[in-house]
Amino acid sequence: MTRYLLISPDYPPPFVGGSLVYIHNLLTNSHLKFDVLTNNNSRKNDNFISHIESKYMINSNSPGAFDLIKMYIYLFFISITIRKYEVIVLNVSVIGNGMLAFLLNFLGRKTIIISYAEEITMSMNAPGMKGAIKRLFLSLYKKTNAIVSVSNFAKEILENKVGVLSPIYVIPTPLHTLKTLNGHNKPLAKKKGQILSVGRLIKRKGFVNLIRAFEVIKNSIPRATLIIVGSGPEYNELNNEISKLGLSESVFIYQNISDKNLSNFYLSSELFVLANLLLENGDCEGAPNVIVEASSFGLPVVAGVYGGVSDVVNHTVTGYLVDTKNIEDISSNVINLLNDEKLMNSMSNNSVNKVRTDHDKNKAGLTFSKIIKNI
């Protein structure tokens, strides 16, 4: 059976970051045999995925400039010497993807780039020499045989602003867990007015704006509570904001909880909110896994209109896309939903149906497999 190569630093496990969960889903559900060139983490091989771990592949959560340069030099020489793979899938970075697409194209090799959103928008907005270098390598995406994108938002930028003419296939974010309404969890009673938000505690997730909007929501719906699940550098800032607004009895942040406890929050909540933002540096959401996960539990979603979120939220059908820079826009939409049980039930049913139709992991894997075989 033909083996293919994926080049991806810090490939799962651990499952940290939506982009890594996304590529893992595509590989494991394609039922193709892959070698994965990644960093050292003592991963276990199986019948389909074999890990090639290297000390030169970096942990991308906190890469140093010198480590990045070493990795790029390593990948340059690896790409020249490896000849046994029919297709090489690139999930590195804008610089790594562009360099390898150009080099492997020159060597007559076939490649597929996995593209999200934030790596494109941040490269296009990066200042100075570093930004110019990133945009140069982004332009080399034109040299790949195909691109698999997580959202139409990313696809449109690559086509209209980067000028990519290679085929760009959008594979929607697949549901990556068994935590569904029809799964192993027993139904829990919904807590009236309980709002849930899940994500890394970083600026682009918009948690500060969500907390400020919740102050307005609480004044209108006294029973309302807000559960935030996640960890990250903004933890202390968010707690300070909660205390400053006098919301300590109704806003709670939970870090490092188990999947079972997270499932229970999904099951007991009425509404999911992600106040995602598009930052000045271009940092944004692609097509968040947490929204697909929340929708699988039948939760209507209120989320930011920015980035590729429109691929996972059907506006007015499964939830609302709002201007999350506007506190009133967040709060008014949440209040309207919580006060309209009929609309909430309709959106709940629509959310579950959308996940089954658009975010099936087997369908995603089959599509990915067909793209590779066609190339």
Side-chain angles (χ1 to χ4, degrees):
M1 187 175 183
T2 302
R3 295 196 74 89
Y4 303 95
L5 178 66
L6 167 69
I7 302 177
S8 179
D10 50 26
Y11 182 80
F15 291 92
V16 179
S19 60
L20 294 177
V21 174
Y22 180 75
I23 187 61
H24 178 76
N25 268 296
L26 296 186
L27 258 65
T28 55
N29 294 293
S30 71
H31 303 300
L32 299 176
K33 291 195 172 185
F34 268 92
D35 290 336
V36 180
L37 178 59
T38 186
N39 68 323
N40 287 326
N41 199 24
S42 301
R43 299 170 180 85
K44 294 181 180 179
N45 299 333
D46 58 35
N47 291 333
F48 286 93
I49 296 179
S50 178
H51 302 92
I52 306 171
E53 298 188 345
S54 170
K55 64 181 180 181
Y56 296 108
M57 298 295 285
I58 55 99
N59 182 324
S60 62
N61 288 324
S62 54
F66 182 65
D67 290 331
L68 281 169
I69 292 171
K70 282 198 302 183
M71 183 180 74
Y72 294 142
I73 293 172
Y74 169 73
L75 290 175
F76 177 87
F77 286 105
I78 280 289
S79 63
I80 294 175
T81 58
I82 293 181
R83 302 181 183 277
K84 64 179 180 178
Y85 301 103
E86 290 188 13
V87 177
I88 299 174
V89 180
L90 307 176
N91 188 53
V92 187
S93 64
V94 164
I95 293 177
N97 291 342
M99 176 190 76
L100 292 172
F102 174 81
L103 180 60
L104 291 168
N105 175 272
F106 178 77
L107 296 172
R109 314 295 300 283
K110 297 176 181 179
T111 60
I112 296 174
I113 289 177
I114 306 296
S115 176
Y116 306 97
E118 64 273 17
E119 91 279 11
I120 302 171
T121 52
M122 289 183 72
S123 296
M124 298 189 74
N125 286 276
M129 182 61 69
K130 186 176 181 179
I133 292 171
K134 286 188 173 183
R135 287 186 287 276
L136 169 64
F137 283 99
L138 183 60
S139 71
L140 296 178
Y141 276 42
K142 299 173 187 176
K143 297 298 183 179
T144 192
N145 296 88
I147 293 175
V148 170
S149 173
V150 72
S151 68
N152 285 287
F153 171 74
K155 177 182 178 180
E156 289 167 6
I157 295 176
L158 288 170
E159 288 179 337
N160 300 329
K161 295 187 177 182
V162 181
V164 172
L165 298 177
S166 305
I168 302 176
Y169 304 92
V170 176
I171 301 180
T173 300
L175 179 64
H176 66 280
T177 72
L178 298 176
K179 297 176 291 188
T180 65
L181 281 173
N182 297 321
H184 63 281
N185 300 92
K186 295 180 179 179
L188 296 177
K190 296 287 185 184
K191 295 181 180 178
K192 289 293 184 180
Q194 181 167 294
I195 302 164
L196 177 65
S197 190
V198 180
R200 184 163 163 73
L201 306 182
I202 54 177
K203 195 168 293 295
R204 79 162 187 250
K205 303 291 185 179
F207 287 114
V208 170
N209 286 4
L210 174 56
I211 292 167
R212 290 170 182 169
F214 183 77
E215 181 185 25
V216 180
I217 296 165
K218 183 73 174 176
N219 289 333
S220 177
I221 307 176
R223 70 176 185 273
T225 56
L226 173 61
I227 305 294
I228 296 173
V229 177
S231 58
E234 290 204 322
Y235 178 76
N236 290 332
E237 179 184 346
L238 297 178
N239 273 311
N240 290 338
E241 189 70 19
I242 292 167
S243 297
K244 185 177 76 174
L245 297 176
L247 297 173
S248 299
E249 299 299 317
S250 51
V251 180
F252 309 94
I253 300 178
Y254 295 89
Q255 299 188 91
N256 305 315
I257 68 171
S258 67
D259 283 346
K260 181 179 180 180
N261 287 334
L262 176 57
S263 297
N264 288 338
F265 281 132
Y266 280 124
L267 287 165
S268 61
S269 299
E270 281 200 298
L271 181 66
F272 186 88
V273 180
L274 183 68
N276 58 288
L277 300 164
L278 174 61
L279 304 183
E280 289 185 4
N281 66 355
D283 197 7
C284 67
E285 292 293 310
N289 285 294
V290 290
I291 291 180
V292 177
E293 196 168 274
S295 297
S296 75
F297 283 87
L299 292 182
V301 174
V302 174
V305 70
Y306 308 103
V309 178
S310 60
D311 279 57
V312 289
V313 177
N314 287 352
H315 183 57
T316 74
V317 177
T318 65
Y320 289 123
L321 295 172
V322 303
D323 179 6
T324 45
K325 295 178 182 177
N326 186 323
I327 301 303
E328 183 181 351
D329 206 14
I330 302 171
S331 58
S332 62
N333 279 278
V334 170
I335 291 168
N336 288 340
L337 268 174
L338 289 177
N339 285 330
D340 192 335
E341 186 175 352
K342 183 177 178 181
L343 179 59
M344 289 275 283
N345 289 336
S346 173
M347 286 186 169
S348 175
N349 291 331
N350 293 337
S351 294
V352 174
N353 289 333
K354 184 182 188 308
V355 171
R356 289 173 178 166
T357 303
D358 297 343
H359 303 282
D360 178 76
K361 62 182 181 180
N362 296 312
K363 186 186 294 184
L366 179 60
T367 302
F368 186 56
S369 175
K370 287 181 177 178
I371 292 168
I372 291 174
K373 290 178 179 178
N374 286 340
I375 288 178

